[in-house]
Amino acid sequence: MNTRTPPAKRSAHRAAAPVAEATRPDRRQAILLAAEKLFAQHGYHAVTIRQIAEEAGVPLALVGYYYGPKHELFHAIFEHWSHSIDERLAGLKAVHIDPADLRTLPRIIEAFTGPVLALRASAEGEYYALLVARELYHATEEADRVLRGYFDPLAEAYIDALHLAMPHATRGQVAWAYQFALGALLHHLNDSRIERLSHGENVRSDPAAAPMLVNFIVGGLRAALPRPKTPPKKTTPPRRQKT
């Protein structure tokens, strides 16, 4: 005798549990935070939905009920933190770009790095900043979707600003410079080796290192894309008067 539950009844049973659990508004946030933490620590592909449910302390079915497949949950993390990108764009918009002003480049880079370093140093933003630094390095379909949707517009805005500040360079050169600057920022967010290499003198992702990071990036930009030297004006020697 076949005692197996028909598929339709099994589906209805699975759907009923999430609906009951949905009365707990904190559960949705707990799932998002658990996914953010585990993805940051272990990488997207190493984490299962079951592990996320266990970390969040919720039934397994509730993860799918709120967020759907794993790649949608990954995307939801970046949607949740999209205001941090808005903050960086607002900071850039506040910079008065004058190529002749030596303070322009540092101000652009401060607007670029400052909000991210503040996130990394905060309890609520620590794992998100680490997730950005680690996961977006990998050329996966999920990472590319996030990059195109959230971070490419940010990159375009900063490349535009850097190009205005360094009009002697081509946009292609400025795009390279932006990528190099991004690499320095992401490495600072993600690196823990500094503690060992400094013999314990430095702390990973130390926000106190922010001015040094800005100076490093600005110095690299100026060294990589130096202003063309103005040729000295030719002076004509005065003619001797005939006597």
Side-chain angles (χ1 to χ4, degrees):
M1 181 177 180
N2 186 359
T3 59
R4 294 177 62 187
T5 306
K9 290 186 178 181
R10 289 203 304 271
S11 298
H13 178 73
R14 283 200 301 266
V19 172
E21 291 293 339
T23 58
R24 295 278 303 275
D26 58 311
R27 293 291 179 91
R28 184 184 182 95
Q29 182 69 5
I31 292 168
L32 198 67
L33 292 175
E36 184 180 291
K37 177 181 177 181
L38 293 178
F39 289 154
Q41 290 178 330
H42 307 292
Y44 173 82
H45 289 290
V47 176
T48 66
I49 292 294
R50 183 175 297 278
Q51 289 171 322
I52 293 170
E54 290 174 355
E55 178 70 24
V58 303
L60 177 63
L62 199 59
V63 179
Y65 174 78
Y66 275 130
Y67 293 104
K70 188 171 76 166
H71 70 273
E72 293 293 343
L73 176 54
F74 183 74
H75 190 269
I77 294 171
F78 294 92
E79 177 62 28
H80 174 73
W81 284 102
S82 61
H83 63 87
S84 65
I85 293 177
D86 295 337
E87 182 183 350
R88 295 168 79 188
L89 289 172
L92 177 62
K93 192 174 180 180
V95 177
H96 175 66
I97 299 179
D98 178 2
D101 188 346
L102 293 178
R103 296 170 296 179
T104 296
L105 271 182
R107 286 171 177 167
I108 292 173
I109 300 305
E110 284 168 4
F112 179 65
T113 60
V116 183
L117 297 180
L119 265 181
R120 183 69 174 90
S122 68
E124 64 275 12
E126 175 186 5
Y127 288 116
Y128 172 69
L130 188 58
L131 175 63
V132 171
R134 288 185 175 178
E135 200 61 26
L136 297 189
Y137 260 133
H138 305 297
T140 64
E141 183 179 347
E142 294 79 18
D144 187 64
R145 181 185 176 198
V146 168
L147 284 169
R148 289 176 182 272
Y150 294 97
F151 291 95
D152 278 9
L154 177 76
E156 293 279 0
Y158 272 91
I159 291 170
D160 287 344
L162 289 171
H163 199 195
L164 289 173
M166 309 179 81
H168 56 279
T170 68
R171 183 175 177 82
Q173 290 171 327
V174 173
W176 274 123
Y178 171 84
Q179 287 293 84
F180 299 153
L182 178 63
L185 173 61
L186 293 181
H187 186 74
H188 177 61
L189 293 174
N190 187 37
D191 177 62
S192 60
R193 234 173 123 227
I194 189 64
E195 297 179 357
R196 182 169 72 251
L197 296 178
S198 66
H199 298 172
E201 185 177 337
N202 296 335
V203 179
R204 71 172 77 182
S205 306
D206 188 354
M212 186 184 297
L213 177 63
V214 169
N215 290 338
F216 178 85
I217 293 174
V218 170
L221 290 171
R222 288 175 173 160
L225 301 173
R227 294 177 184 272
K229 294 181 179 179
T230 305
K233 292 182 180 180
K234 294 181 179 180
T235 57
T236 304
R239 293 181 179 180
R240 292 184 179 180
Q241 296 181 352
K242 294 182 179 179
T243 55

